[in-house]
Amino acid sequence: MASISLRNVVKKYGAATVIPDLNLEIEDEEFIVLVGPSGCGKSTLLRVLAGLEAIDGGDLMIGDRRVNDVPAAKRDIAMVFQDYALYPHMTVRQNMAFALEMRDLPASEINAKIDAAAKLLDIHPYLDRRPKALSGGQRQRVAMGRAIVRDPQVFLFDEPLSNLDAKLRGQVRAEIKTLSRQLRTTMVFVTHDQIEAMTMADRIVVMKSGVIQQVGTPEEVYEAPINLFVASFIGSPSMNFLPITLEGEQLRLAGGDSLPLDSGLSTGVSGPDLILGVRPEHFEVVPEGQGIPAEIMLVEPLGSDTLIHVRAAEQDLIARVSPDLRPVAGGSVFLRPIAGKAHLFDSATEMRLIGKNGK
Amino acid sequence: MSRKPSDAPWLDWVNVALLVLAGIIVMTPTAWMILSSFKPSHEVTAYPPTLVFSPTGENYATLTRQTPFLSYAVNSLIVTAGSTILGLLFGAPAAFVASWTRITWPAVVALMARMAPGTLFLLPWYVMFRQVDMIGSYWALILTHAVITLPIVIWVLLPYFDAIPRSIFEAAQVDGCSPFRIFRRIGLPLVSSGLAVSSILAFVFSWNFFLFALVLSNAQTKTLIAASFNFIGEGSTNWGGLMAAATIIALPPLILAIVVQRWLISGLTLGAVKG
């Protein structure tokens, strides 16, 4: 129940600058997901918010309070750790009560809060067990319960789903999202899994080398990635990239094939050093002569749709096609980007070029 | 322990033989001490040593008759318990902080103090304690024995604290816990077996330490081990009495070691198998 404001935040470890200069405004009750590859500084940023790491420059505000020098214990935030970090010598109930005892709340109030959280998370049967006697999923719930009873200003999650199996992960993902609606608290969630980011976030913050690349809703970062990095990181399988030369209204591909320029892509820029980005799902299979010829190297049927790994325009590409097409390895198809769905990037700056239609 | 297919049976025999050899080396003096304590004094030094003899309790009787043996034992207990508690009181927080901050040089300094010969400390301490009129006091002995107990506690507990995932302490921080409360509510309970191991080791080493008590105690505060030195006289030594005293002195550490040997072994190897 507080906004967070990071202004020119700098974080160094010795001589190494992990976060050079970071600015981010998180609104009250917003669910923010920090996403990026390992070492991009997302977990460091979360630890900075938690007060577990001091910052070397800038300002950090939680609500209207400047918390640069406020220790973790006094920030009124709750954190769910990657390894859950439950106190092994305490029962689930004691684990959940611990933070409340630190605040000297009366026992009746502590019990009421624990019961409410246990009901919400369905962990009543385990309240008197030690963490050792719980499964991974149960521990995960207890870790969330320990955070919920605090009724904190901000929830922080440090890759809390990475230790769960795929099925449980999907389930807990949905639960956390539901929870965030019920609790109406500001939440910051760190993950390297772009599916988690897409499914849970109000806004996604994509990071690389301690620098924010893009902040936007899941739709924005998916549909209008600001640069090559975001385009390749968000979406699975990754976006395909084809080096092209723009000749008038024609996109000249490596190997000599060409495609007509999509009107939406028209930027006024022409010449070499451009990159065409097309997501696998934004290729359509067309009759011969209307697209680029592609040799099918590998077929991955997923049930709902089929991924084909193809060799086209001297590149290895992946396209998502209808399973009704029944593609076979060794065969060939003709592919074309769906109108209005492809992106153009400047290969020097790696930035996406905005088309005349503003997209 | 299950045998691997490649293990040859003769390796087992070598193992057994080596253990027997080690046992003989360790046990011979101990057995000699215990047997001698039941021999009449003149038979202790007889050559060749007599293996068959009529046991006597005379040496033990002399011990209690001629010396205030019980009060020496009480002195030993006070000094050992006091220095062990002092070691725990300062060593446990020191180990926690060294593990938390990863600043271990103070622990190394403490270890170096422990490894330095005791005589190095003796003269300065004698002068200092005399200036404050503490020679012969329990406190002088307890404080000096802390030089033995403190490094043991620190170095036994360090790997125990290191083995606790850092995130558990961080969770406590986020939960609003002060550093001292983290130590007391989270750290200490999680190293309880380490506390047991370090207390016992500190107790045993302090109990057996001879030099400081010899110089810094007086007739009223003399510890068992320093008092046993009285049996060695110039020209004549009461070997029987000395062996009886040594046997009794060796008992408490021995009993402690047997009671807690399972903990002791897991505690001593913790640093080696961690991670």
Side-chain angles (χ1 to χ4, degrees), chain A residues 37 42 57 104 133 144 161 221 224 256 262 286 305 329:
Chain A
K42 57 191 190 297
D104 295 323
M144 292 214 292
L161 309 183
V221 291
D262 189 334
V286 290
D305 42 32

Side-chain angles (χ1 to χ4, degrees), chain A residues 47 73 83 87 89 101 150, chain B residues 167 170 172-175 185:
Chain A
R47 293 171 61 80
D83 60 358
Y87 310 125
H89 57 302
E101 285 169 12
R150 300 257 318 267
Chain B
S167 59
E170 288 175 343
Q173 267 183 294
V174 172
D175 269 350
R185 295 280 310 265

Side-chain angles (χ1 to χ4, degrees), chain A residues 47 50 52 72-73 77-79 81 83 85-90 95 98-99 101-102 104 146 150, chain B residues 100 164-178 181-182 184-187 189-190:
Chain A
R47 293 171 61 80
L52 297 172
I77 39 114
M79 184 159 170
F81 289 79
D83 60 358
L86 300 175
Y87 310 125
H89 57 302
M90 297 184 191
N95 261 283
F98 187 73
E101 285 169 12
M102 294 299 118
D104 295 323
R146 190 170 65 174
R150 300 257 318 267
Chain B
W100 176 254
I164 302 172
R166 213 175 166 75
S167 59
I168 289 180
F169 294 131
E170 288 175 343
Q173 267 183 294
V174 172
D175 269 350
C177 212
S178 67
R181 269 176 145 175
I182 293 177
R184 199 169 56 85
R185 295 280 310 265
I186 311 288
L190 290 180

Side-chain angles (χ1 to χ4, degrees), chain B residues 119-173:
Chain B
T119 42
L120 198 75
F121 300 98
L122 219 47
L123 190 65
W125 274 350
Y126 186 80
V127 173
M128 282 161 57
F129 283 125
R130 208 177 53 179
Q131 273 170 357
V132 290
D133 199 21
M134 275 174 73
I135 298 283
S137 70
Y138 286 125
W139 273 113
L141 292 176
I142 290 172
L143 286 172
T144 52
H145 274 222
V147 169
I148 324 250
T149 58
L150 194 64
I152 292 172
V153 172
I154 292 175
W155 281 95
V156 168
L157 285 183
L158 247 182
Y160 278 92
F161 281 119
D162 284 346
I164 302 172
R166 213 175 166 75
S167 59
I168 289 180
F169 294 131
E170 288 175 343
Q173 267 183 294

Side-chain angles (χ1 to χ4, degrees), chain A residues 47-62:
Chain A
R47 293 171 61 80
V48 160
L49 289 176
L52 297 172
E53 304 279 355
I55 52 177
D56 299 294
D59 284 314
L60 173 55
M61 315 279 291
I62 295 179

Side-chain angles (χ1 to χ4, degrees), chain B residues 2-8:
Chain B
S2 64
R3 183 186 292 172
K4 283 175 279 175
S6 59
D7 281 359

